[in-house]
Every structure is written in structure tokens, then in C-alpha cells.
Amino acid sequence: MPEQTEWEMKAANLLKAELKRKGVTYAGLAELIGEKEVNIRNKLSRGKFSAAFLLQCLASIESDALRI
């Protein structure tokens, strides 16, 4: 199984941190974006997701600014 690159890890950690900051669980995010919780959990654990998915998640939790 290929390992996460540094950038994939950063993207996943950024989204996880923002979810935690907003108090949104994976189940809550799944409900907001209409996806299965297991799919979200897998995407974040692998760190492999599109920029569109990242933006969709951030918009759904009403996060309009990120610190990178």
C-alpha cells in the first residue's frame, strides 16, 4: 500500500483539525455532504481526496478561513 505523501498528510490533518475546531464529527460531516461516514473516514485516513472534496467539506461546516 502506498504511503501518504507529506502534502496528503497536511491536507488530511488540516481538514481533521477544522472539523474538530467546529465540533463536527465524521458522522455529522457525512450527513451534511450526503456521503457515507465510512467513505469520509477512509478518505481522511488515506489523505487521498480532491480539492473539490476539501472545499465541499469546508463549505458545509461554514469554515471560511484556514491557517496553513
Side-chain angles (χ1 to χ4, degrees), residues 1 3 5 8 24 29-30 33 37 39 44 51 65 68:
M1 176 157 88
E3 292 189 30
T5 68
E8 291 167 339
V24 178
L29 179 61
I33 66 173
E37 180 183 354
N39 293 344
L44 292 178
I68 299 177

Side-chain angles (χ1 to χ4, degrees), residues 1-5 8-9 12 16 38-49:
M1 176 157 88
E3 292 189 30
Q4 283 183 320
T5 68
E8 291 167 339
M9 209 170 6
K16 288 176 191 178
V38 68
N39 293 344
I40 291 171
R41 189 173 303 283
N42 288 338
K43 285 179 183 182
L44 292 178
S45 70
R46 285 190 315 261
K48 301 220 182 250
F49 48 83

Side-chain angles (χ1 to χ4, degrees), residues 17-62:
E18 196 61 17
L19 289 170
K20 186 168 187 103
R21 192 176 78 75
K22 292 285 191 168
V24 178
T25 63
Y26 291 164
L29 179 61
E31 192 172 310
L32 288 170
I33 66 173
E35 197 163 326
K36 291 182 179 182
E37 180 183 354
V38 68
N39 293 344
I40 291 171
R41 189 173 303 283
N42 288 338
K43 285 179 183 182
L44 292 178
S45 70
R46 285 190 315 261
K48 301 220 182 250
F49 48 83
S50 68
F53 174 78
L54 175 63
L55 293 173
Q56 179 185 20
C57 292
L58 294 173
S60 71
I61 62 172
E62 299 178 0

